[in-house]
Amino acid sequence: MKKLKLILLLIVGLSFEMQAQELDVNLQIRPRFEYRNGYKTLLPEGQKGTSQISQRSRLGINFKQDDLILKLTFQNTRTWGDVPPATVADKNGVAVFEAWAQYNFTEKWSARIGRQVLSYDNQRILGEMDWAQQGQSHDALTVSFHDETQKLDFGGAYNSTAENVVQTPYTVANYKAMQYAWYHNQFNEKLGASFLLLNTGYEYAPDPAPSTKLLVDYMQTFGPYLTYKKDKIDTSFWLYGQTGKSTDQQVSAWNAAANVTYSITDSFKAGLGYEFLSGKDSNDGSTVIKSFNPIFGTNHGFNGYMDYFYVGNHLKNVGLQDAFLKLNYNVNKWQFALIPHVFLSAADVVNVNEKMDSYLGTEIDATFGYNFKKDITVTGGYSQMFGSKTMEFIKNGDANHTNNWAWLMVSVNPRIFSWKK
């Protein structure tokens, strides 16, 4: 903390010396209690659930001078009790979540370089992943064109484990290289359309050790995202394909979804949605990857809050069909939501030559939010999974057990310093 104070004072001092126009400093403290009793997968027979409290602590510094914008965000993520009270060092230490500089060449063109969040449309493919205490950011260079109706972003990244002097395998669980382009056109107040093209290259060694040969295979994810709003109706639709190669395996997968929401009153909304993520038959012996991967999406926000699918799991599997209903009610400082999901496999689940029922289970998510005071919000929820025998087969665990999850989170987000000149 002393180091953070010193850095902050140094930046403030430099800002005055450089005749800064704007300087804002924000703080976030976000502890979250969770009771996990069948979270992310069915609870194994004979096992018991667990509880813990995690916390995110962030310090964000925003600086602007003329056409130059800088952002620096420090963060610490922890589980309460992961170090003793008299510890001399934190388990996770202080990390840099964001550290970028942006220059606005004109009112429409700009470039940004450094560690930054890449978040587009509904965050299905590229998102901040804000639910996770550590979040998600990339080391990248991006160039943007934004006017009143059109936006064009394109960027890229190239990663290494360190400042090496010889060829060294990239062992981080991340892409070796990445390029993307995103275009959005807001045709009018009702209709908007985007198109995303993402090219991700992962390094692998085709030959066993001690061979030093390293290759990079590239996979392409691409497709449109559409929104349409009229009166009380709000709709969205997306269709993404995946092709290319991954570790010398051909990729052929796709994802499609549609959502419709209707505002019954100013306070009450009801919506229906369906999503299909392609999968691979469990008895398919081919090497082709047919299971869609949402890659860098904010996947906690999709397919149920219990994170049974695509949150570090369910990859190269039978895919998913998700049909859901979403009910939202807002009154005064309160927000409530009830979201039941029905899950089915997208490909065949086969057990010893016998095709199983595609029904995986039903999840019920209930959440609330309360704006306690300025800069302080309280949110929480309860979810329960009613799994099937097919779910047991692909996830293991016990579907007859009560599989549920509950959480409560307090988010404190004050602006602690602001200066303009």
Side-chain angles (χ1 to χ4, degrees):
M1 184 56 71
K2 290 182 178 179
K3 291 183 178 179
L4 290 179
K5 289 180 179 178
L6 181 60
I7 292 172
L8 179 58
L9 290 172
L10 178 62
I11 292 175
V12 171
L14 289 174
S15 300
F16 280 98
E17 184 178 338
M18 296 171 63
Q19 297 182 341
Q21 294 179 337
E22 297 181 23
L23 179 65
D24 292 315
V25 182
N26 303 297
L27 186 66
Q28 182 185 58
I29 304 296
R30 198 180 80 169
R32 180 169 69 224
F33 166 82
E34 293 182 59
Y35 170 67
R36 297 179 172 183
N37 185 59
Y39 171 74
K40 295 191 79 170
T41 190
L42 299 173
L43 193 70
E45 186 175 355
Q47 296 295 315
K48 294 183 179 181
T50 185
S51 300
Q52 67 269 317
I53 301 173
S54 61
Q55 180 173 317
R56 171 202 288 174
S57 305
R58 277 185 182 171
L59 178 67
I61 304 168
N62 300 277
F63 170 76
K64 182 178 181 182
Q65 177 181 285
D66 300 324
D67 295 319
L68 179 64
I69 303 173
L70 294 94
K71 186 168 187 178
L72 181 61
T73 304
F74 299 100
Q75 74 175 15
N76 169 264
T77 58
R78 65 193 308 111
T79 302
W80 284 17
D82 61 3
V83 293
T87 185
V88 296
D90 255 330
K91 182 177 180 180
N92 294 330
V94 176
V96 175
F97 176 63
E98 292 177 286
W100 53 259
Q102 175 177 315
Y103 188 79
N104 299 325
F105 297 99
T106 67
E107 292 183 355
K108 298 179 179 181
W109 285 96
S110 64
R112 180 181 295 182
I113 189 169
R115 191 157 187 88
Q116 57 190 284
V117 171
L118 301 179
S119 180
Y120 292 99
D121 299 319
N122 65 342
Q123 302 189 47
R124 191 44 169 147
I125 305 299
L126 281 170
E128 183 176 356
M129 213 168 73
D130 189 59
W131 168 262
Q133 297 287 38
Q134 74 278 5
Q136 180 172 252
S137 54
H138 304 252
D139 299 308
L141 167 65
T142 60
V143 177
S144 300
F145 171 84
H146 290 185
D147 67 12
E148 294 181 356
T149 60
Q150 299 182 85
K151 297 179 181 180
L152 173 64
D153 288 6
F154 52 93
Y158 183 81
N159 295 324
S160 303
T161 54
E163 296 184 41
N164 304 305
V165 294
V166 296
Q167 177 179 269
T168 304
Y170 185 61
T171 56
V172 178
N174 191 16
Y175 50 81
K176 177 64 176 178
M178 179 271 291
Q179 306 85 35
Y180 80 94
W182 174 80
Y183 174 75
H184 176 78
N185 194 326
Q186 192 64 41
F187 295 98
N188 49 51
E189 294 181 355
K190 300 176 181 178
L191 179 63
S194 302
F195 192 90
L196 174 68
L197 174 59
L198 173 65
N199 188 40
T200 47
Y202 286 83
E203 185 181 272
Y204 71 102
D207 302 318
S211 172
T212 58
K213 185 178 181 180
L214 297 173
L215 298 177
V216 177
D217 273 349
Y218 284 90
M219 179 179 72
Q220 296 78 44
T221 303
F222 55 92
Y225 175 81
L226 307 174
T227 58
Y228 181 77
K229 299 179 181 180
K230 182 179 180 181
D231 300 328
K232 297 183 178 182
I233 298 176
D234 189 344
T235 64
S236 63
F237 168 81
W238 64 89
L239 175 63
Y240 294 111
Q242 280 183 336
T243 188
K245 298 185 74 175
S246 176
T247 58
D248 205 29
Q249 293 177 298
Q250 190 66 40
V251 178
S252 179
W254 62 284
N255 165 226
N259 300 281
V260 179
T261 301
Y262 182 77
S263 298
I264 299 173
T265 68
D266 291 341
S267 299
F268 182 57
K269 295 181 180 180
L272 287 170
Y274 173 79
E275 183 174 21
F276 182 96
L277 299 101
S278 67
K280 187 175 183 178
D281 296 343
S282 58
N283 64 342
D284 187 338
S286 72
T287 61
V288 178
I289 298 174
K290 302 177 182 178
S291 304
F292 188 85
N293 181 0
I295 317 184
F296 307 112
T298 302
N299 297 327
H300 174 77
F302 300 85
N303 314 132
Y305 293 150
M306 291 183 74
D307 293 345
Y308 270 56
F309 308 102
Y310 305 104
V311 182
N313 52 19
H314 202 66
L315 301 175
K316 296 185 179 180
N317 211 308
V318 294
L320 185 68
Q321 298 182 68
D322 176 13
F324 60 92
L325 171 69
K326 188 171 184 178
L327 304 174
N328 293 92
Y329 181 70
N330 300 330
V331 55
N332 299 324
K333 296 183 177 182
W334 291 90
Q335 306 90 42
F336 300 94
L338 180 65
I339 315 171
H341 294 260
V342 176
F343 299 121
L344 300 95
S345 66
D348 292 342
V349 182
V350 181
N351 183 9
V352 193
N353 298 322
E354 180 182 350
K355 182 179 176 181
M356 301 184 71
D357 192 339
S358 62
Y359 173 68
L360 298 178
T362 297
E363 179 179 329
I364 308 295
D365 297 326
T367 67
F368 79 91
Y370 178 64
N371 299 324
F372 180 69
K373 285 191 175 182
K374 181 184 178 182
D375 302 325
I376 303 176
T377 59
V378 180
T379 52
Y382 174 84
S383 300
Q384 186 157 334
M385 172 66 78
F386 303 89
S388 68
K389 290 298 180 182
T390 307
M391 179 80 84
E392 277 190 353
F393 178 75
I394 67 172
K395 286 277 189 180
N396 298 316
D398 185 4
N400 293 321
H401 193 284
T402 299
N403 291 280
N404 56 6
W405 171 65
W407 60 281
L408 182 66
M409 182 168 70
V410 178
S411 185
V412 183
N413 302 274
R415 177 183 291 178
I416 61 175
F417 182 83
S418 182
W419 180 80
K420 292 183 180 182
K421 182 177 180 181

